Amino acid sequence: MARLPTLAVVGATGAVGTVMLELLSARKNHWGEIRLLASPRSAGRKLVCRGEELTVQGLSAEAFDGVDVAMFDVPDEVSAEWAPVAVARGAIAVDNSGAFRMDRDVPLVVPEINPEQVRNRPKGIIANANCTTLAMIVAIAPLHREYALRELVLASYQAVSGAGQVGVDTLHDQLSKVAGDRALGSRSGNVRQAVGDDLGPFPAPLALNVVPWAGSLADSGWSSEELKLRNETRKILGLPDLKVSATCVRVPVVTGHSVAVHAVFGSEVDAEGAREALRNAPGVILVDDPAQGEFPMPIDAVGTDPSWVGRIRRSMDDPRALDLFVTGDNLRKGAALNTAQIAELLAPEFAAR
């Protein structure tokens, strides 16, 4: 009987780690032992995975001994330090942080698009894309195969859970402060006054507002999130010269990142042909009936695995361009699910040994 490989989940107590454990419990089992790792302050906690109560271990080099695959969902600086340690102890690291995404020796993998890249890992590390990129690119890839993508103009609508649990808590706290006052939002400054200084990780109030900013400041006024959309899309699709321009916006949604997409292709496009390509694409669900009020929206996509896509129109001014809207759960496909899918691609390597 083939040996089932050992899996470590690093960051098991976090928001994405929690979803990872749910997925490991619900998806087809590929694993023997599952080892839960987190910061020393979380060591000793009990978590349930596959119906079994597991004890969280503190992160250490020895904790990776005997591990075949290690899934990381921790801050960039923690991954940068510990993913190489896991590799040195014999594991393949699948990292959900931004630490290695643009490293030329680390593949950036989306299993529906470039699964073959999991074997191209000279550093023993495989990177997972940014959650906003993942929501969008699963829908863009089949259209690229059909029409040859040339340019993307993107506007994201990013949920507060992208900033972690503190982002979710901040939004709910602000909503409680503005609830019931119907004058709020009708005069400059009154929302800021009601919310006060409780901005959490955001530069401005999110309640009754949208903030045209996500990430940190990069060169020439671009944000880090906008550059991720550009650079990661190019790498995943193998299009190093693809023109990409993005504006990232934080919106008062708990979970589910959305992207409005203007895509220009190398050949003339057809809206119905695009719908057909997306209807048959893995990891995509088509929701596109405006006459019936059916659109892809985060309140429906939350808790589901696919990218939801709709509002598909051929551009009025360019027969080579399509406009569409995509949304997906940023904690599932945008993080935990894609990481788990990459790990599942690796599991057969160990069964064959």
Side-chain angles (χ1 to χ4, degrees), residues 34 56 70 89 126 128 136 139 144-145 198-199 204 212 214 273 294 351:
I34 293 180
V56 176
R89 293 280 175 155
I126 300 169
N128 193 34
M136 176 272 299
H144 167 54
R145 288 192 288 268
D198 182 20
L199 301 181
E294 295 181 359

Side-chain angles (χ1 to χ4, degrees), residues 8-352:
V9 179
V10 185
T13 57
V16 174
T18 300
V19 178
M20 283 181 176
L21 300 190
E22 293 173 3
L23 291 169
L24 290 169
S25 300
R27 293 174 67 80
K28 179 182 176 181
N29 184 51
H30 295 266
W31 310 105
E33 178 189 355
I34 293 180
R35 204 172 293 178
L36 308 185
L37 307 180
S39 64
R41 69 177 179 274
S42 296
R45 284 184 59 182
K46 306 286 187 181
L47 299 175
V48 175
C49 182
R50 299 185 301 183
E52 180 184 359
E53 189 176 72
L54 302 176
T55 301
V56 176
Q57 301 179 38
L59 187 56
S60 69
E62 294 74 22
F64 293 105
D65 288 345
V67 170
D68 297 301
V69 178
M71 301 194 304
F72 281 77
D73 185 75
V74 290
D76 291 9
E77 63 276 12
V78 180
S79 282
E81 177 183 357
W82 286 98
V85 172
V87 173
R89 293 280 175 155
I92 300 170
V94 183
D95 181 42
N96 188 42
S97 81
F100 301 100
R101 287 174 186 153
M102 301 315 300
D103 188 318
R104 294 181 62 180
D105 293 325
V106 175
L108 186 60
V109 174
V110 181
E112 293 89 345
I113 299 172
N114 59 348
E116 72 286 348
Q117 288 297 316
V118 297
R119 296 187 178 274
N120 178 28
R121 48 175 200 267
K123 290 186 174 181
I125 300 170
I126 300 169
N128 193 34
N130 174 264
C131 48
T132 316
T133 303
L134 279 165
M136 176 272 299
I137 204 164
V138 174
I140 287 298
L143 298 177
H144 167 54
R145 288 192 288 268
E146 191 75 19
Y147 300 114
L149 185 64
R150 294 290 182 269
E151 182 177 354
L152 287 171
V153 180
L154 310 169
S156 75
Y157 304 82
Q158 295 180 217
V160 295
S161 56
Q165 187 61 43
V166 65
V168 177
D169 292 341
T170 296
L171 176 60
H172 281 300
D173 289 345
Q174 291 181 1
L175 289 174
S176 67
K177 291 178 179 179
V178 302
D181 188 343
R182 298 194 177 192
L184 290 177
S186 62
R187 188 175 72 252
S188 177
N190 65 358
V191 172
R192 288 183 182 273
Q193 185 176 11
V195 168
D197 296 329
D198 182 20
L199 301 181
F202 310 117
L206 257 296
L208 305 180
N209 194 30
V210 299
V211 179
W213 187 259
S216 56
L217 182 62
D219 292 341
S220 302
W222 295 96
S223 80
S224 59
E225 290 285 305
E226 292 158 352
L227 296 185
K228 288 174 187 177
L229 276 168
R230 179 176 186 264
N231 297 333
E232 293 175 20
T233 298
R234 288 175 158 192
K235 184 173 181 178
I236 294 165
L237 296 179
L239 298 172
D241 298 320
L242 180 68
K243 295 180 180 179
V244 182
S245 181
T247 299
C248 289
V249 181
R250 192 75 71 180
V251 297
V253 169
V254 172
T255 300
H257 288 352
S258 305
V259 185
V261 179
H262 178 79
V264 182
F265 299 91
S267 59
E268 187 168 333
V269 296
D270 172 74
E272 190 50 46
R275 290 188 190 95
E276 190 62 24
L278 290 165
R279 192 176 285 117
N280 297 316
V284 172
I285 183 169
L286 186 67
V287 185
D288 194 18
D289 191 352
Q292 298 299 317
E294 295 181 359
F295 316 105
M297 295 180 288
I299 59 168
D300 300 316
V302 63
T304 71
D305 293 340
S307 289
W308 295 42
V309 59
R311 292 300 324 279
I312 300 168
R313 300 144 282 155
R314 189 168 85 162
S315 172
M316 291 186 287
D317 302 314
D318 186 347
R320 301 172 301 117
L322 284 172
D323 290 275
L324 56 140
F325 193 82
V326 188
T327 191
D329 186 319
N330 51 294
L331 300 181
R332 291 183 73 87
K333 181 58 179 175
L337 176 61
N338 201 73
T339 307
Q341 288 174 308
I342 295 170
E344 289 168 3
L345 291 175
L346 297 169
E349 294 186 24
F350 300 94

